[in-house]
């Protein structure tokens, strides 16, 4: 789904007057999503078999494709910490051996402080929470700019990616163009196998408290403000910053 929007969307309480602009979404087809059962949501022992990534099929050899990327950013400190404005944190580890271009881009944006102030603009309970595209300035919702598009690292785009879209996994949002991902990403709040091979998964939440925060966000009340913002949180949830978590 690709919507062309203007730069500004007037925001008054939960009622926004939306003008035309551009927006990336997870083309989810929500009715086809494979959701976890409520009692399984915090089954950490099942979800985090190996925090170091040995649960990813085919990962762990010494032939990392990242070595061939000459313009790579400093990959030291692959783990990241999403710090919300309300003080909550989401710790995640990133997998350059799975999605080298995506991880390099994500770390570059972290170093540039691109994510400072962005909000979760699309939240769907028992599916995912999406951020990286918009921020609020005064009473206006602004589109975030500055992130360049990258190659989509997933099977349907000719790139092997063995990280499955299980609960807690980070992945890139995009338009219908497979190479349109830039700064928007989402975190799965359920197991979404239908996204495997179609979106570039690149990281995973690594502790129980962080996962609980993801699930808390996924449960918030949302409203349809029009023009593609069908799942906009009634109370804005903003990211203070994202940092490398060494």
């Amino acid at each position: 789904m690709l919507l062309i929007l203007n730069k500004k969307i007037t925001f008054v309480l939960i009622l926004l007057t939306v003008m035309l602009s551009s927006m990336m979404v997870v083309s989810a087809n929500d009715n086809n999503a494979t959701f976890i059962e409520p009692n399984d949501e915090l089954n950490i022992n099942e979800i985090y078999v190996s925090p170091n990534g040995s649960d990813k099929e085919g990962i762990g050899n010494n032939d990392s494709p990242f070595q061939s990327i000459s313009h790579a950013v400093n990959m030291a400190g692959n783990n990241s910490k999403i710090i919300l404005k309300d003080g909550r944190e989401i710790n995640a580890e990133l997998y350059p051996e799975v999605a080298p271009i995506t991880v390099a881009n994500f770390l570059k944006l972290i170093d540039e402080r691109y994510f400072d102030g962005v909000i979760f603009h699309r939240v769907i309970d028992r599916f995912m929470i999406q951020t990286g595209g918009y921020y609020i300035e005064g009473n206006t919702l602004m589109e975030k700019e500055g992130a360049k598009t990258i190659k989509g690292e997933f099977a349907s785009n000719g790139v092997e990616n063995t990280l499955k879209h299980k609960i807690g996994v980070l992945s890139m949002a995009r338009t219908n163009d497979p190479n349109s991902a830039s700064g928007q990403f989402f975190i799965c709040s359920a197991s979404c196998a239908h996204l495997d091979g179609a979106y570039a998964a690149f990281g995973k939440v690594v502790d129980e408290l962080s996962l609980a925060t993801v699930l808390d966000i996924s449960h918030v009340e949302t409203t349809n403000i029009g023009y593609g913002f069908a799942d906009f949180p009634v109370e804005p949830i903003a990211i203070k910053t994202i940092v490398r978590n060494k």
Side-chain angles (χ1 to χ4, degrees):
M1 181 180 182
L2 175 59
L3 299 169
I4 306 301
L5 291 152
N6 214 338
K7 299 281 184 199
K8 296 184 178 181
I9 305 170
T10 302
F11 179 89
V12 181
L13 298 177
I14 66 170
L15 181 63
L16 290 82
T17 303
V18 185
M19 304 157 123
L20 287 180
S21 150
S22 109
M23 177 180 181
M24 291 183 184
V25 301
V26 185
S27 183
N29 295 323
D30 298 340
N31 292 335
N32 296 324
T34 303
F35 297 129
I36 59 169
E37 293 301 318
N39 291 337
D40 293 335
E41 285 185 343
L42 288 176
N43 190 344
I44 299 297
N45 291 330
E46 178 180 350
I47 297 165
Y48 303 107
V49 175
S50 171
N52 294 323
S54 62
D55 57 325
K56 303 186 298 301
E57 297 176 6
I59 300 304
N61 58 58
N62 294 323
D63 300 321
S64 170
F66 181 73
Q67 302 303 322
S68 64
I69 300 179
S70 59
H71 62 279
V73 297
N74 177 15
M75 296 298 287
N78 286 343
N79 293 346
S80 64
K81 182 192 296 288
I82 301 171
I83 304 172
L84 304 183
K85 282 194 173 179
D86 63 13
R88 291 180 294 173
E89 298 178 350
I90 301 171
N91 295 305
E93 60 183 8
L94 311 178
Y95 303 128
E97 68 272 33
V98 175
I101 297 172
T102 305
V103 170
N105 177 67
F106 192 74
L107 290 174
K108 177 176 180 290
L109 294 177
I110 288 176
D111 293 343
E112 294 173 350
R113 303 183 71 88
Y114 170 88
F115 297 109
D116 290 13
V118 298
I119 61 170
F120 285 93
H121 64 273
R122 186 168 183 244
V123 171
I124 302 177
D125 191 20
R126 297 169 62 81
F127 177 36
M128 60 92 224
I129 59 176
Q130 184 173 335
T131 186
Y134 301 89
Y135 64 98
I136 295 174
E137 185 176 279
N139 66 340
T140 303
L141 183 64
M142 307 286 292
E143 183 178 359
K144 186 73 176 182
E145 298 180 332
K148 297 180 179 180
T149 57
I150 58 175
K151 180 177 179 61
E153 295 178 298
F154 45 88
S156 64
N157 199 36
V159 180
E160 182 182 15
N161 185 320
T162 55
L163 182 59
K164 307 301 182 183
H165 285 84
K166 297 180 180 180
I167 184 172
V169 163
L170 280 65
S171 190
M172 295 300 295
R174 61 177 178 82
T175 68
N176 288 333
D177 180 348
N179 299 312
S180 60
S182 55
Q184 291 196 40
F185 68 97
F186 61 94
I187 307 175
C188 296
S189 58
S191 293
C192 306
H194 68 292
L195 301 181
D196 294 344
Y199 292 86
F202 66 95
K204 185 172 64 177
V205 172
V206 292
D207 60 73
E208 192 166 332
L209 185 58
S210 295
L211 180 60
T213 298
V214 170
L215 294 175
D216 284 346
I217 294 172
S218 75
H219 297 327
V220 301
E221 182 182 0
T222 60
T223 187
N224 187 342
I225 61 174
Y227 291 91
F229 291 91
D231 305 282
F232 196 92
V234 170
E235 295 291 337
I237 304 167
I239 292 174
K240 179 179 179 181
T241 191
I242 303 180
V243 298
R244 298 192 188 215
N245 192 14
K246 298 179 180 179

